[in-house]
Amino acid sequence: MTSEELLRKLRERIVGFAASRMQRDSAEDLAQETLIVLHQKYPDLDRIEDLLPLALQIVRFKIMAAKRKAVRRGEYTQEAVDDLPLAESGASPLASAERKQMRERLTAAIAKLGERCRRMFALKLEGRNFGEIQEILGAASINTVYAWDFRCRKQLLDRMGGTWEGPR
Amino acid sequence: MRSEETERLLGGYATGSLTESERRVLFEAALEDQQVFDALQDEEALRDLLADGESRTAVERALRLPVPEKLGARWFARPWVWGWAVGLAASCVLAIVLLRPEKREIASVSIPPMAPNASLQSAPEESIASKQRPRAKKQKANVPQPGVVAADRAPEPTEQIVASPAAPMAMSLRSSTTLPLAFVVVAPSDVIQAGDAIRIRVRPDAAGVMSLLQRGAAGTWTLLEPAVDVLAGQEYTIPRLPFIVTSESNFRLMLVPTGGLPRFAVFTVTPGKAAPSQ
């Protein structure tokens, strides 16, 4: 896949995602701004493994910023590209509060998980891949580990109300 | 549509548990499929949280906390609870066995065939089943209307089933009394009481058209059930709505075999007194 084709598909996906959360025009703008950021700040990246996670991150921050502005002033002004807060050190008090809330919800949900689900999560946080987790937990097959992980994630998500970030 | 593999890989994205090749597979799927992209975008919130040092520490701490013991598990770890539970279960089973309605067959009649023209004549009736059985019942003044399943019945009658020996068809005949919610099959020795709702189970020996008639006070026969097409050897329960036993009643079960002449069986249901309650 060429770089141009990759960016075209990426744009299509971002518009599709953003359009489910904001007006179509804003979604188009958000996709455009995301691609501009990628182009201006990360011109050397052309692999999907690099571009897609970055795009996800940028889109998330842009949507959060847009929501904050809309709530605060009722404006839908576009974010300046240069203002994009990719570095976490610059998190606003509101963003910090949101993160704190999500952390509390997540830890409360974890407290209700069973032993195996906790172990799975802990091993994943240690950076273990599913093959290693299979060995450590003594699962008969990798599919068993996938099934456990699926159920555990579902339990966790259910206990958090269906989404990581809480009700939209 | 999210494939099974994509679903699995999504679980490892936020925690960074995917190998390089797995990440690539997941990202390529996200580029091709909007649902996968959306799901991945949702996972980004968790990935972002876990990338924050303070949040990650809090999550790791929560994962290390002891798993809360389930209340049920704690109770059932105690032997006396098991003993109590087993005892309770045994009591329940015993109660169900003792209280459930027993299946009782009232009458099983096998009548030899006879000449069709003769079968149309009324025949002398002969009792084939008559016996008393104790039964505790609540008496109710108002007798249920015919056609309505009776829930309450007058106490202690005796049942007598009479069938014509000259009836033309071989059949198995059963009457059923009702409980409030269901019919039960009753035995020949059982008592039918006034107020019981009755239906008859018939297995005709020939295919044809079958009907059930009841003799009224003036001696006229009333069709209780519209004639139904029947097959030989199959079981039918008639009438569709049960009739209520209030006093001695005569019935005629008629079968018109396909291409043959009518045959019938006559029987009487008489509510009677039951033996004293035990």
Side-chain angles (χ1 to χ4, degrees):
Chain A
M1 192 184 297
T2 63
S3 176
E4 195 177 323
E5 193 181 355
L6 195 154
L7 290 173
R8 184 184 58 76
K9 282 195 171 179
L10 196 51
R11 183 181 184 286
E12 199 179 312
R13 294 289 159 252
I14 294 170
V15 171
F17 174 79
S20 65
R21 284 158 175 76
M22 52 176 60
Q23 290 184 339
R24 181 80 191 180
D25 289 350
S26 305
E28 297 269 0
D29 290 345
L30 186 143
Q32 193 62 27
E33 287 173 21
T34 305
L35 293 186
I36 289 172
V37 172
L38 288 175
H39 177 71
Q40 289 186 337
K41 294 200 171 183
Y42 308 96
D44 300 334
L45 302 182
D46 58 359
R47 296 191 318 153
I48 188 173
E49 300 94 303
D50 302 322
L51 282 174
L52 198 131
L54 263 178
L56 294 173
Q57 213 175 340
I58 295 167
V59 168
R60 177 169 147 73
F61 287 139
K62 293 292 257 181
I63 289 180
M64 282 171 63
K67 276 185 188 170
R68 278 200 293 273
K69 273 200 169 178
V71 170
R72 196 167 54 233
R73 293 192 292 198
E75 293 177 5
Y76 293 89
T77 318
Q78 300 302 316
E79 287 254 302
V81 169
D82 294 337
D83 293 343
L84 189 71
L86 274 182
E88 295 195 349
S89 54
S92 68
L94 185 58
S96 299
E98 284 176 350
R99 175 172 289 166
K100 184 168 178 286
Q101 274 189 351
M102 183 178 161
R103 181 168 67 226
E104 286 169 355
R105 287 174 53 247
L106 180 61
T107 50
I110 285 172
K112 293 174 189 164
L113 284 183
E115 183 62 40
R116 183 158 64 201
C117 287
R118 289 185 189 207
R119 269 207 89 195
M120 286 277 304
F121 202 155
L123 289 169
K124 282 163 67 179
L125 276 184
E126 286 174 17
R128 307 279 189 175
N129 61 41
F130 288 115
E132 292 170 330
I133 294 173
Q134 180 197 349
E135 277 184 28
I136 293 168
L137 296 184
S141 73
I142 189 92
N143 284 335
T144 306
V145 178
Y146 286 137
W148 287 346
D149 184 56
F150 179 79
R151 284 192 218 123
C152 292
R153 269 168 48 79
K154 190 170 181 312
Q155 277 180 29
L156 198 57
L157 260 174
D158 287 348
R159 281 162 188 168
M160 291 185 72
T163 63
W164 301 119
E165 289 185 284
R168 293 194 179 101
Chain B
M1 187 177 290
R2 279 151 70 168
S3 70
E4 200 174 323
E5 186 185 8
T6 314
E7 198 72 58
R8 292 167 178 169
L9 296 180
L10 269 173
Y13 171 70
T15 48
S17 321
L18 301 180
T19 61
E20 273 305 305
S21 59
E22 286 174 333
R23 273 167 63 87
R24 188 175 178 85
V25 169
L26 180 61
F27 293 157
E28 281 175 353
L31 266 196
E32 295 304 322
D33 188 328
Q34 186 67 52
Q35 280 191 26
V36 179
F37 185 90
D38 293 357
L40 205 50
Q41 188 70 66
D42 288 338
E43 287 295 305
E44 183 62 25
L46 180 62
R47 196 208 58 75
D48 181 45
L49 184 80
L50 296 175
D52 172 56
E54 190 184 345
S55 300
R56 194 181 183 94
T57 307
V59 168
E60 286 171 344
R61 198 183 310 122
L63 287 168
R64 281 196 297 270
L65 288 173
V67 178
E69 198 177 358
K70 285 181 184 169
L71 184 64
R74 198 163 62 227
W75 275 84
F76 281 98
R78 301 171 185 179
W80 67 267
V81 174
W82 276 102
W84 180 81
V86 168
L88 180 67
S91 306
C92 289
V93 169
L94 197 62
I96 290 167
V97 167
L98 290 177
L99 296 178
R100 73 174 177 175
E102 54 186 311
K103 291 194 169 184
R104 295 158 291 139
E105 180 180 334
I106 275 192
S108 186
V109 185
S110 186
I111 305 164
M114 66 174 294
N117 55 352
S119 71
L120 292 172
Q121 308 299 317
S122 59
E125 294 173 346
E126 175 188 351
S127 170
I128 60 166
S130 174
K131 194 171 178 181
Q132 290 184 334
R133 194 182 77 85
R135 223 164 165 177
K137 290 290 168 197
K138 183 173 68 175
Q139 184 155 11
K140 195 170 180 179
N142 55 333
V143 176
Q145 293 301 307
V148 178
V149 174
D152 299 302
R153 291 169 285 196
E156 296 157 8
T158 308
E159 164 250 32
Q160 189 175 44
I161 288 199
V162 179
S164 163
M169 56 188 167
M171 70 182 74
S172 150
L173 180 86
R174 288 177 182 175
S175 299
S176 306
T177 57
T178 54
L179 287 178
L181 293 176
F183 277 86
V184 294
V185 178
V186 293
S189 57
D190 279 343
V191 175
I192 289 188
Q193 302 172 3
D196 276 354
I198 305 283
R199 291 205 293 173
I200 298 163
R201 199 172 293 171
V202 184
R203 194 190 302 272
D205 66 342
V209 179
M210 184 171 67
S211 50
L212 179 67
L213 302 96
Q214 183 176 20
R215 184 151 64 188
T220 54
W221 289 94
T222 310
L223 198 60
L224 278 181
E225 175 92 349
V228 288
D229 292 327
V230 294
L231 297 172
Q234 288 209 3
E235 199 169 78
Y236 297 89
T237 303
I238 55 171
R240 192 167 43 83
L241 294 174
F243 53 85
I244 310 298
V245 177
T246 53
S247 57
E248 182 178 289
S249 303
N250 294 316
F251 296 93
R252 175 185 281 176
L253 188 62
M254 182 157 23
L255 175 69
V256 183
T258 309
L261 293 170
R263 301 145 57 178
F264 64 90
V266 175
F267 60 95
T268 304
V269 176
T270 308
K273 287 182 181 175
S277 298
Q278 289 174 344

